[in-house]
Amino acid sequence: PPPPPIVTPPTTPEPPIASTVKYLALGDSYTIGQSVCETCRFPEQLKTSLHAMYSSSVSLKIIATTGWTTSNLISAINSQNPESNYDLVTLLIGVNNQYQHRSFSVYEKEFPELVNKAIMLAKGDKKNVVVISIPDYAYTPYGQALAGDQSNKISAEITQYNNFAENYCNTNQIAFVSITEITREGLNNPSLVASDGLHPSQSAYRMFVDKMMPKIKIALQD
């Protein structure tokens, strides 16, 4: 019998996203991009990627400052009182709670508050919110140089924070993206660490965006 004809399944085009996207990025040094150029931080790289993929024009607002804990971020959102009309809100917070040895119970109380604030700012729709895991700074020259060998303790505590956040997000059907493993390559691959020896580099943030993109697309598709 003749060989069966080769059938190529039709490629399904990506569902479109809106031509204009309002994006709010909430966080700390990892969102503001401490020690990298302004366009190198992940929210700016995400904005550029979305424009390249969809030709959408993305307006970006960042509420983030190096050193902020969950408490600082809550205060800043309350005082800035942004509009509740964002198409996308990302949240990356908690490293400074760990670094400043705050009680873990503070995070257990305030992380859910921040997720709920994010949802409210994202037009009240949890589909528009993406939570990003906390990087592990034990795998940086700075983390290694801290007095005594604390790197195992730092990693264990960051894992505790991330497990809490991921479980909370899974229970409440909120998108969660773990980028922590990327940052745990920081000693094997020094190009992932910024010049300050502590924060992620432009290329690390590029990898964050690549890892986030599937969930970001879902958030922005109607």
Side-chain angles (χ1 to χ4, degrees), residues 5 14 20 34 44 50 54 63-64 77 87-88 108 154 163 169 176 185 195:
E14 293 263 4
T20 59
Q34 179 70 34
E44 291 283 357
L50 287 172
Y54 296 100
I63 302 181
I77 295 168
D87 304 296
L88 173 66
E108 292 175 302
I154 294 166
N163 286 346
C169 289
F176 181 88
E185 293 302 312
S195 55

Side-chain angles (χ1 to χ4, degrees), residues 58-132:
V58 182
S59 65
L60 167 63
K61 179 176 174 64
I62 297 180
I63 302 181
T65 295
T66 298
W68 274 1
T69 63
T70 48
S71 315
N72 299 131
L73 181 55
I74 288 170
S75 302
I77 295 168
N78 290 344
S79 65
Q80 293 193 32
N81 195 20
E83 288 184 84
S84 306
N85 63 352
Y86 286 91
D87 304 296
L88 173 66
V89 180
T90 59
L91 174 66
L92 194 178
I93 195 71
V95 72
N96 295 299
N97 292 58
Q98 184 278 333
Y99 182 73
Q100 297 175 22
H101 307 295
R102 298 294 169 93
S103 164
F104 187 66
S105 61
V106 173
Y107 189 76
E108 292 175 302
K109 175 178 174 287
E110 293 185 347
F111 174 77
E113 284 179 27
L114 281 164
V115 171
N116 288 315
K117 282 185 183 294
I119 292 169
M120 195 184 72
L121 296 171
K123 302 178 176 174
D125 188 348
K126 67 183 174 185
K127 186 182 87 68
N128 299 340
V129 173
V130 178
V131 175
I132 299 139

